[in-house]
Amino acid sequence: MLKKIQEWRGKETSKSSLTKEELLKHPIPKHIAVIMDGNGRWAKKRALPRIAGHHEGMKTVRKITKAANGLGVKVLTMYAFSTENWKRPKLEVDFLMKLPEEFLGTFLPELIEENVQVRLMGNKSDLPEHTLRAVEGAMEKTKNNTGLILNFALNYGGRDEILRAVKNVAIDLQNNTITTEQLSEEVFSEYLFSNQLPDPDLLIRTSGEIRLSNFMLWQLAYAEFYFTDVLWPDFEELHLYEAINSFQQRGRRFGGI
Ligand code: V0D
């Protein structure tokens, strides 16, 4: 009976038998986008302040970056701060804005060692100077790296991104840089923050919410969505493998048959 249960488990979520080697037999998503939710809830469960959850979540970013790079993922986009997150208490926002410096201060040497390229997606203008300086320094130091692109969405909103793109398109139409006929999905994409990056193949959202929350509205048009109840600070390599395994089981047809 135990053997039967184990066989069945193996067919379902197969946590016990999911190995890197097994995953590599099937296509690995080129671009994975992640909504890292549940840091506050993780802290609450432990009677810790919310910032303790954010700090623990930062360590998870490092762990999952390494795992994704090890699988040959090309782009990993992490939703670190949304345009709505400014509404949070000032002390929490101030703490969050110090995380890029701490993260890079601790992990940038390892990321460089692993050939990772750091990028930023979002509205730079409202970010504190110290935050922007740290991120831009890391971008500069890693700009020639050819491994995984670690793309941080910071002060990012999907509608904001599209609106900004539309305004820039309007300017380029007015000064005849482009014509209406030239404006295609490909050309429009170049006006988005994600320009030059492939669209995500897989979206992961942790912590049980089944929503997009204004994340990459244009780019996620054809992505597979994976939702898990696991809180972001508890998210492990095996959970990433689960998500990729789920992606590999699904048929991707782009509306064809
Ligand atoms: C808190 C969970 C890494 C989500 C992860 C400014 C919320 C930890 C960064 C980071 C945050 C950003 C840019 C960069 C290097 C690291 C980060 C923020 C929040 C908001 F170049 N974690 N992280 N940034 N959290």
Side-chain angles (χ1 to χ4, degrees):
M1 185 59 181
L2 182 60
K3 185 155 182 290
K4 269 268 168 299
I5 291 168
Q6 277 163 351
E7 275 172 20
W8 174 81
R9 268 180 56 85
K11 286 210 181 68
E12 292 299 305
T13 53
S14 66
K15 258 205 171 121
S16 49
S17 66
L18 252 188
T19 62
K20 186 175 160 183
E21 291 64 38
E22 206 58 43
L23 285 178
L24 290 172
K25 290 178 185 162
H26 304 281
I28 298 291
K30 284 191 176 65
H31 184 172
I32 302 178
V34 188
I35 302 177
M36 306 182 284
D37 205 1
N39 304 287
R41 277 222 275 159
W42 181 93
K44 194 169 184 185
K45 269 171 64 180
R46 288 164 178 74
L48 294 168
R50 288 175 58 79
I51 58 171
H54 296 319
H55 195 263
E56 195 65 23
M58 184 190 73
K59 296 193 228 159
T60 307
V61 173
R62 166 64 192 126
K63 187 170 62 186
I64 297 308
T65 300
K66 201 178 174 92
N69 200 16
L71 289 167
V73 172
K74 302 280 180 233
V75 188
L76 186 63
T77 295
M78 306 300 234
Y79 204 1
F81 195 90
S82 78
T83 48
E84 280 81 46
N85 287 157
W86 295 109
K87 295 177 194 150
R88 292 185 181 179
K90 182 173 186 314
L91 281 175
E92 185 176 335
V93 170
D94 288 350
F95 178 86
L96 285 167
M97 287 302 159
K98 286 180 199 141
L99 286 179
E101 285 144 285
E102 181 174 353
F103 179 94
L104 295 165
T106 314
F107 302 126
L108 187 58
E110 292 167 47
L111 295 175
I112 290 172
E113 192 113 339
E114 288 157 21
N115 199 20
V116 169
Q117 184 183 124
V118 176
R119 283 207 210 174
L120 180 60
M121 175 172 91
N123 205 333
K124 289 182 187 182
S125 58
D126 304 323
L127 293 174
E129 213 175 276
H130 64 94
T131 308
L132 192 57
R133 206 182 318 121
V135 180
E136 286 190 324
M139 286 167 64
E140 177 62 27
K141 285 192 187 115
T142 62
K143 68 177 181 203
N144 295 319
N145 288 359
T146 54
L148 176 117
I149 294 172
L150 177 55
N151 183 37
F152 285 101
L154 234 72
N155 193 19
Y156 174 88
R159 288 187 176 181
D160 172 70
E161 176 187 43
I162 292 171
L163 194 55
R164 181 182 159 276
V166 168
K167 288 180 180 178
N168 285 325
V169 166
I171 291 168
D172 283 355
L173 284 170
Q174 225 156 22
N175 60 30
N176 298 313
T177 309
I178 55 164
T179 66
T180 323
E181 290 68 40
Q182 282 169 341
L183 187 57
S184 61
E185 291 186 11
E186 275 93 330
V187 170
F188 185 77
S189 298
E190 290 168 23
Y191 287 83
L192 299 171
F193 288 127
S194 55
N195 77 33
Q196 306 298 326
L197 295 179
D199 286 343
D201 311 289
L202 171 64
L203 168 79
I204 299 173
R205 179 167 189 158
T206 58
S207 193
E209 309 296 344
I210 319 291
R211 294 192 292 270
L212 217 41
S213 300
N214 202 16
F215 191 45
M216 300 187 88
L217 298 177
W218 173 279
Q219 297 90 337
L220 289 169
Y222 295 104
E224 296 287 344
F225 288 7
Y226 182 85
F227 297 100
T228 173
D229 288 338
V230 175
L231 308 178
W232 178 250
D234 293 327
F235 198 81
E236 307 248 357
E237 288 88 342
L238 257 172
H239 297 115
L240 177 71
Y241 292 2
E242 280 283 304
I244 294 175
N245 179 59
S246 162
F247 165 85
Q248 290 176 334
Q249 311 292 320
R250 304 186 200 182
R252 305 184 73 231
R253 294 178 295 273
F254 291 98
I257 47 158

